């Protein structure tokens, strides 16, 4: 709905409330577009109606107008899902005695220590039950000390006193207190150990989810450090980073707030001379002040976002800036490949400096490129000081362009080379590549060179006998 011309935003409001503050023109356009949608759905064989006008939900598909940007209509969508579930699926609900329980959140509560908020979907939990929970440092085996629920009409996440229970039956939200829950992972399953169960088998099963995630970490040990609020959101982020369009390696993972230890792990990339990967991608988590301070001190970048794509955009912008910085730092050492031919009767100055007209036969001629003459034992004739095309100064010239070029001595102490003595009209100039300059090109200018240019690098490498 935010795409309607003149739409007045009312963040996260029910759609009917948001519609009341719109102008007549906006309401008219809304009705026009709604009619279009209903017609298009009819063409696909579906009868549909605006959800609050829909009197026959079994025959007509409900349309819920929403805005993914400002949230109008989202409360309606949630309400409709709950209403339909309660009305249509009540008879299909089935209770199973086998415990099915998911950890939603791991929290430190004053007076209770570290607790876990869980959703008990099936089965019964009892005080004193031995449970197994998946942890970052291995399976956590502990016993339920207390089963807590909020008082009626209160929400589990709201602070306050709780009701204690000896046992609780599905389905409901429960806060569990037990020892050793500090490293429990939100989004994983909680298992109850029965009298006939093998504890080792349950521990292995509990760790299955996190083992699947750990297998996605880059085996080379190089990559960014990823932190997320739950195992599910961590899996989603890892899947996104692994996709071919993104392809960002991951060296380590964490769940929950970013602490100093996470920053220390990410800083290992600085020792490996991989500054771009000394980065923490924090998805939907908080960062402790101590971690932020240490990151600034060590030079570790932390990017925060609640939306995966925003996180990627921040990291990409950082990588692009870093790339530009490296290009500037290595500009003097980068030698682009080129082969130049002297144009007939175009030697304007024979020495101090040499000014000639040349044809760029292959590659890219850039200011600062050192040149040598292969036919004269690879004698160095100097560096390109300036390039002109039709009396206009340019930074570079590409294959097929004819340009005027000023060449000055590479070394101030060295005698200036001269046309007629050190090289002739028929001689060609080539970039004087070195092993170091090729490495700089590979590291910082890979995308600036075409496949043809890289083939020329290989050709000149053989010509100049570079190992």
């Amino acid at each position: 709905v935010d795409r309607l011309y003149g739409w007045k935003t009312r963040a996260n409001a029910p759609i009917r409330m948001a519609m009341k503050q719109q102008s007549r023109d906006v309401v008219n356009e809304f009705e026009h577009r709604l009619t279009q949608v209903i017609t298009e759905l009819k063409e696909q064989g579906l009868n549909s109606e605006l959800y609050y006008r829909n009197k026959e939900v079994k025959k007509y598909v409900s349309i819920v107008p929403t805005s993914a940007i400002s949230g109008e209509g989202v409360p309606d969508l949630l309400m409709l899902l709950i209403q339909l579930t309660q009305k249509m699926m009540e008879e299909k609900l089935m209770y199973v005695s086998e415990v099915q329980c998911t950890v939603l959140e791991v929290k430190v509560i004053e007076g209770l220590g570290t607790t876990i908020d869980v959703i008990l979907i099936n089965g019964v939990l009892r005080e004193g039950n031995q449970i197994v929970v998946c942890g970052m440092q291995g399976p956590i085996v502990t016993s339920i000390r207390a089963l807590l629920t909020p008082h009626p009409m209160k929400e589990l996440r709201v602070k306050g006193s709780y009701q204690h229970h000896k046992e609780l039956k599905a389905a409901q939200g429960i806060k569990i207190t037990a020892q050793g829950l500090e490293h429990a992972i939100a989004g994983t399953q909680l298992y109850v150990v029965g009298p006939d169960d093998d504890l080792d088998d349950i521990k292995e099963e509990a760790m299955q989810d996190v083992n699947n995630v750990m297998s996605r970490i880059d085996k080379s040990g190089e990559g960014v450090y990823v932190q997320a609020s739950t195992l599910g959101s961590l899996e989603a982020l890892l899947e996104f980073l692994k996709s071919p369009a993104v392809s960002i390696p991951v060296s380590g993972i964490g769940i929950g707030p970013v602490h100093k230890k996470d920053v220390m792990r990410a800083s290992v990339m600085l020792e490996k001379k991989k500054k771009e990967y000394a980065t923490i991608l924090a998805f939907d988590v908080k960062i402790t002040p101590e971690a932020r301070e240490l990151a600034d001190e060590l030079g570790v970048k932390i990017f925060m976002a609640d939306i995966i794509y925003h996180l990627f955009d921040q990291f990409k912008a950082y990588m692009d800036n870093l790339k530009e910085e490296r290009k500037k730092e290595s500009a003097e050492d980068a030698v682009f490949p080129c082969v130049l031919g002297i144009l007939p009767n175009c030697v304007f100055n024979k020495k101090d400096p040499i000014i000639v007209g040349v044809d760029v036969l292959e590659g890219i001629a850039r200011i600062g490129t050192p040149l040598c003459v292969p036919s004269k034992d690879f004698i160095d004739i100097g560096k390109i000081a300036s390039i002109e095309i039709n009396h206009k100064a340019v930074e570079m010239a590409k294959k097929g362009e004819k340009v005027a070029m000023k060449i000055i001595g590479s070394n101030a102490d060295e005698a200036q080379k001269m046309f007629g003595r050190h090289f002739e009209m028929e001689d060609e100039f080539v970039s004087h590549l070195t092993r170091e300059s090729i490495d700089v090109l590979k590291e910082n200018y890979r995308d600036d060179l075409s496949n043809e240019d890289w083939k020329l690098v290989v050709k000149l490498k053989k010509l100049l006998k570079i190992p």
Side-chain angles (χ1 to χ4, degrees), residues 197-448:
D197 292 333
D198 185 316
L199 182 60
D200 288 335
D201 286 351
I202 290 179
K203 280 158 77 173
E204 198 176 309
E205 201 175 333
M207 290 306 290
Q208 197 63 51
D209 290 342
V210 84
N211 289 344
N212 290 343
V213 169
M214 293 300 268
S215 67
R216 299 185 197 189
I217 292 174
D218 203 271
K219 299 293 182 284
S220 69
E222 289 180 0
V224 297
Y225 192 85
V226 172
Q227 195 91 1
S229 53
T230 67
L231 190 71
S233 55
L234 181 65
E235 278 183 294
L237 182 54
L238 288 174
E239 194 62 42
F240 175 72
L241 296 177
K242 191 181 165 189
S243 65
V246 179
S247 195
I248 296 170
V250 175
S251 65
I253 57 168
I255 291 172
V258 177
H259 294 287
K260 280 170 80 173
K261 61 177 171 49
D262 303 307
V263 176
M264 290 301 292
R265 285 174 190 158
S267 71
V268 172
M269 290 302 128
L270 292 169
E271 292 166 28
K272 294 188 177 186
K273 301 284 187 288
K274 290 281 179 183
K275 187 184 173 184
E276 67 272 28
Y277 294 145
T279 306
I280 296 174
L281 301 185
F283 177 46
D284 194 26
V285 290
K286 290 185 176 128
I287 294 150
T288 63
E290 297 83 11
R292 178 75 73 187
E293 202 176 301
L294 185 64
D296 292 341
E297 193 183 307
L298 296 176
V300 171
K301 285 273 178 190
I302 302 177
F303 297 108
M304 284 175 72
D306 297 338
I307 296 167
I308 287 177
Y309 301 103
H310 292 180
L311 207 54
F312 170 65
D313 290 343
Q314 288 177 39
F315 180 70
K316 190 175 179 298
Y318 169 67
M319 288 287 274
D320 291 344
N321 286 341
L322 214 54
K323 203 173 177 183
E324 285 307 313
E325 272 176 41
R326 282 182 177 164
K327 274 188 182 180
K328 283 175 189 171
E329 284 168 16
S330 63
E332 284 185 24
D333 302 319
V335 178
F336 277 54
C338 68
V339 178
L340 312 173
I342 303 171
L343 293 167
N345 306 315
C346 286
V347 178
F348 308 114
N349 204 42
K350 293 183 178 182
K351 63 174 273 188
D352 282 340
I354 298 164
I355 300 174
V356 288
V358 297
D359 183 4
V360 183
L361 303 174
E362 288 184 81
I364 305 166
R366 287 201 337 162
I367 290 174
T369 301
L371 299 173
C372 65
V373 185
S375 55
K376 296 286 192 286
D377 291 328
F378 301 100
I379 187 168
D380 284 312
I381 60 158
K383 280 186 177 180
I384 300 172
S386 64
I387 304 169
E388 282 188 9
I389 300 177
N390 297 329
H391 304 291
K392 283 185 181 175
V394 292
E395 286 292 314
M396 64 170 72
K398 294 189 176 180
K399 182 180 175 179
E401 290 183 316
K402 291 174 174 57
V403 299
M405 192 174 277
K406 180 160 85 171
I407 301 165
I408 58 170
S410 305
N411 196 326
D413 304 329
E414 203 178 298
Q416 177 74 47
K417 302 300 183 287
M418 180 178 173
F419 173 75
R421 184 185 296 171
H422 299 100
F423 63 94
E424 306 296 333
M425 187 73 73
E426 61 276 6
D427 290 324
E428 286 182 350
F429 302 153
V430 301
S431 305
H432 197 164
L433 300 178
T434 62
R435 178 71 264 165
E436 291 72 25
S437 70
I438 293 172
D439 291 341
V440 167
L441 284 182
K442 281 181 179 174
E443 200 170 326
N444 302 314
Y445 294 87
R446 191 176 286 276
D447 299 335
D448 294 50

Side-chain angles (χ1 to χ4, degrees), residues 33-202:
R33 290 204 190 187
L34 176 67
T35 307
Q36 278 183 319
V37 170
I38 290 170
T39 306
E40 283 174 29
L41 286 169
K42 265 185 186 163
E43 286 168 4
Q44 301 299 321
L46 288 170
N47 290 323
S48 59
E49 184 54 279
L50 193 59
Y51 90 91
Y52 50 82
R53 296 176 188 164
N54 191 358
K55 305 297 179 199
E56 296 182 70
V57 288
K58 288 185 179 179
K59 289 182 181 177
Y60 286 79
V61 174
S62 289
I63 295 171
V64 185
T66 55
S67 166
I69 292 171
S70 43
E72 289 98 337
V74 174
D76 307 65
L77 193 58
L78 292 169
M79 182 194 73
L80 189 65
L81 284 170
I82 292 163
Q83 275 185 352
L84 290 172
T85 307
Q86 288 182 342
K87 287 176 185 174
M88 307 292 200
M89 299 182 74
E90 189 182 2
E91 290 170 12
K92 293 181 183 178
L93 284 173
M94 197 167 74
Y95 172 76
V96 180
S97 59
E98 188 183 337
V99 173
Q100 190 184 351
C101 187
T102 303
V103 179
L104 281 189
E105 232 175 329
V106 182
K107 279 186 185 170
V108 177
I109 304 286
E110 208 174 309
L112 297 174
T114 305
T115 66
I116 52 173
D117 291 349
V118 302
I119 289 286
L120 180 62
I121 300 156
N122 271 313
V124 179
L125 286 180
R126 296 181 178 86
E127 208 175 86
N129 272 157
Q130 189 180 27
I131 57 170
V132 179
V133 181
C134 179
M136 280 307 285
Q137 296 166 3
I140 299 162
V141 181
T142 185
S143 295
I144 296 174
R145 195 189 290 162
L147 292 169
L148 310 170
T149 59
H151 287 278
M153 302 305 290
K154 279 207 174 176
E155 215 250 315
L156 190 62
R157 289 146 67 97
V158 177
K159 280 186 180 179
S161 59
Y162 295 96
Q163 286 185 322
H164 288 249
H165 304 268
K166 289 289 178 193
E167 70 171 49
L168 285 167
K169 190 177 176 182
Q172 59 184 312
I174 305 165
K175 186 179 284 295
I176 294 175
T177 67
Q179 281 188 323
L181 294 174
E182 292 79 13
H183 300 293
I185 299 174
T188 57
Q189 296 298 305
L190 177 146
Y191 296 85
V192 173
V193 183
D196 303 323
D197 292 333
D198 185 316
L199 182 60
D200 288 335
D201 286 351
I202 290 179

